[in-house]
Amino acid sequence: MSASEAVTDALRELHGRFAGVRDGQRATYIPELAGSDPDDFGLALVSMDGHSYSAGAADTPFTLQSVSKPFAYALALASLGLDEVGRWVGAEPSGEAFNAISLEPDTGRPANAMINAGAIVTTALIPDSREAPAFQRILTCLSRFAGRKLDVDEAVYASEAATGDRNRALAYLIRSTGTLPVDPVAAVDTYFRQCAVRVNALDLAVMAATLAHGGVNPVTGERVVSPEVAAQVLAVMATCGMYNGSGDWLLRVGLPAKSGVSGGLIAAGPARFGLAAYSPPLDATGTSVRGRAALGELSERLELHLMRNPALPGSTVTLVTTADVLPSAPSGRRERALHERVGVVAAQGALDFTAAERVLYALDESGPERNGAVVLDLREVTGADSLALALLHSGLSRLARDGRRAAVVDPGDRLGPPDLVRERTGQDLPRFASREEAVEHVAQAMAGPG
Ligand code: GLU
């Protein structure tokens, strides 16, 4: 027993809650899928540190089916870029079923890459490379997302290949509109193979976590796609991932997600978690009934809804005050009066643009008086991205223009190398290792030589 078992307990509890649900039907139009066990139910969660948790049948194998679509889309985007991929497949929710004949009237493009028509085109766009044919590239990409070598369930592949006339018909139709760049039979065959790649719920959670983690697999540490591609895929999952249930899902659950007819379902909490469920019985939109219920509940409990803005209750600024109230304040009246004019702001954590805005606002609050001074204590700051640095530098140069002296407590050079800071702020910003030294320095400077 360990402390983190508490996370597993939460999943087990959810699992227990929905295991008894008997609604939904297994997909039977791919005959092999009709043989899956309707009682199988697995849940998995993977954190951005690559910690994995699961409950129930999380290592039972099943085929990806449509859950493969976002990952093939990622590979197409990584190979060809958004503009080229966008010429062939759109990014609008179709509001229609997964196998609908959903082609834009003017361009003939499929509405998006999450429905069959768009996914067949996406797969067809992935070129053979010198090292590997297209399907091998797709399999390798899926494996890198999962963090292990995946394979094809040949029985499911053969079963869909033998019965998949609707998808073949779709491919011919798309070809007739001029928006399928390759032979329809070959395109659909590769698509069927991609759908028949075998995974388990834990793999799916790792795959979702890789998208949530900006394209880096949090378990293996491997970069699979760029942060831009990961964001593009999540955006299309958010608007189109749940077929004709996409709007309702985004409204209620608030996460990019993708379902598949074998009963797999993924959802990604950007920068937070990858979630996955497996349970074969499906609702009318082709989504796992238990999966939908469990991931919906999980999103609510963990407050993952995207529109709830997880960044809000941050605590970047830990202190906004004036130096006279600090324990180190001098007792003499004259010194005290000087210290009253020294604002002190302390910040902590990783600074991005949002956090930097808080810091600058706090600098103003700490003593808006002209000719005063301010000490910015960055000892507890763990890092600052380039946007945060640019904003901090320009804020500090404005302070100087306003006649407010500044000093920083920045032994770790979080503000960047002194040369850069000089160039950006137009001043030699004094830096100190302790807050007391910084306060003393600006107080003395204000007091002037006389
Ligand atoms: N291979 C399935 C099909 O094309 C995938 C559909 C799905 O999972 O929604 O019909």
Side-chain angles (χ1 to χ4, degrees), residues 29-30 65-66 69 98 116 160 167 191 195 243 259-261:
Y29 75 99
I30 300 173
Q65 298 305 329
S66 279
K69 292 170 181 174
F98 68 97
N116 286 9
E160 186 165 21
N167 282 326
Y191 167 75
C195 287
Y243 304 127
S259 59
V261 291

Side-chain angles (χ1 to χ4, degrees), residues 185-364:
V185 175
V188 172
D189 188 70
T190 308
Y191 167 75
F192 287 158
R193 280 197 165 274
Q194 156 196 322
C195 287
V197 169
R198 197 172 0 219
V199 289
N200 58 41
L202 206 46
D203 294 325
L204 285 193
V206 177
M207 296 173 86
T210 301
L211 289 175
H213 194 229
V216 173
N217 183 317
V219 177
T220 63
E222 186 185 6
R223 172 162 295 289
V224 183
V225 289
S226 68
E228 291 76 18
V229 165
Q232 288 159 357
V233 172
L234 289 174
V236 174
M237 285 167 65
T239 50
C240 312
M242 301 290 276
Y243 304 127
N244 40 337
S246 297
D248 192 62
W249 173 270
L250 189 59
L251 176 66
R252 292 173 197 279
V253 180
L255 292 177
K258 187 72 202 83
S259 59
V261 291
S262 52
L265 175 62
I266 58 170
R272 306 183 84 179
F273 295 112
L275 310 175
Y278 169 61
S279 165
L282 310 177
D283 64 18
T285 67
T287 298
S288 166
V289 174
R290 292 192 196 106
R292 174 192 287 278
L295 294 198
E297 178 80 21
L298 204 52
S299 166
E300 195 169 320
R301 286 196 197 176
L302 309 184
E303 297 190 2
L304 296 178
H305 197 300
L306 281 181
M307 309 308 165
R308 286 179 70 160
N309 202 342
L312 264 187
S315 50
T316 304
V317 173
T318 50
L319 181 72
V320 188
T321 189
T322 46
D324 59 306
V325 303
L326 296 178
S328 57
S331 50
R333 215 159 54 85
R334 205 178 88 85
E335 285 107 323
R336 245 198 140 79
L338 275 175
H339 278 65
E340 263 173 39
R341 294 167 53 209
V342 178
V344 178
V345 169
Q348 68 173 9
L351 304 186
D352 58 5
F353 188 92
T354 315
E357 181 276 334
R358 290 192 185 127
V359 172
L360 295 182
Y361 195 89
L363 289 178
D364 290 344

Side-chain angles (χ1 to χ4, degrees), residues 74-163:
L75 179 57
L77 290 170
S79 308
L80 305 168
L82 182 57
D83 288 344
E84 177 61 15
V85 173
R87 279 184 42 205
W88 301 92
V89 56
E92 293 302 332
S94 67
E96 292 180 292
F98 68 97
N99 58 3
I101 302 170
S102 192
L103 307 177
E104 285 176 357
D106 46 343
T107 61
R109 283 184 323 175
N112 66 69
M114 301 296 118
I115 53 171
N116 286 9
I120 292 167
V121 173
T122 306
T123 298
L125 286 177
I126 295 165
D128 296 330
S129 72
R130 220 159 358 125
E131 296 77 35
F135 178 69
Q136 206 49 50
R137 291 187 64 199
I138 295 172
L139 186 60
T140 302
C141 178
L142 292 169
S143 300
R144 292 171 71 204
F145 268 108
R148 74 177 180 97
K149 213 165 171 312
L150 302 176
D151 63 0
V152 173
D153 184 327
E154 292 294 340
V156 173
Y157 160 73
S159 178
E160 186 165 21
T163 55

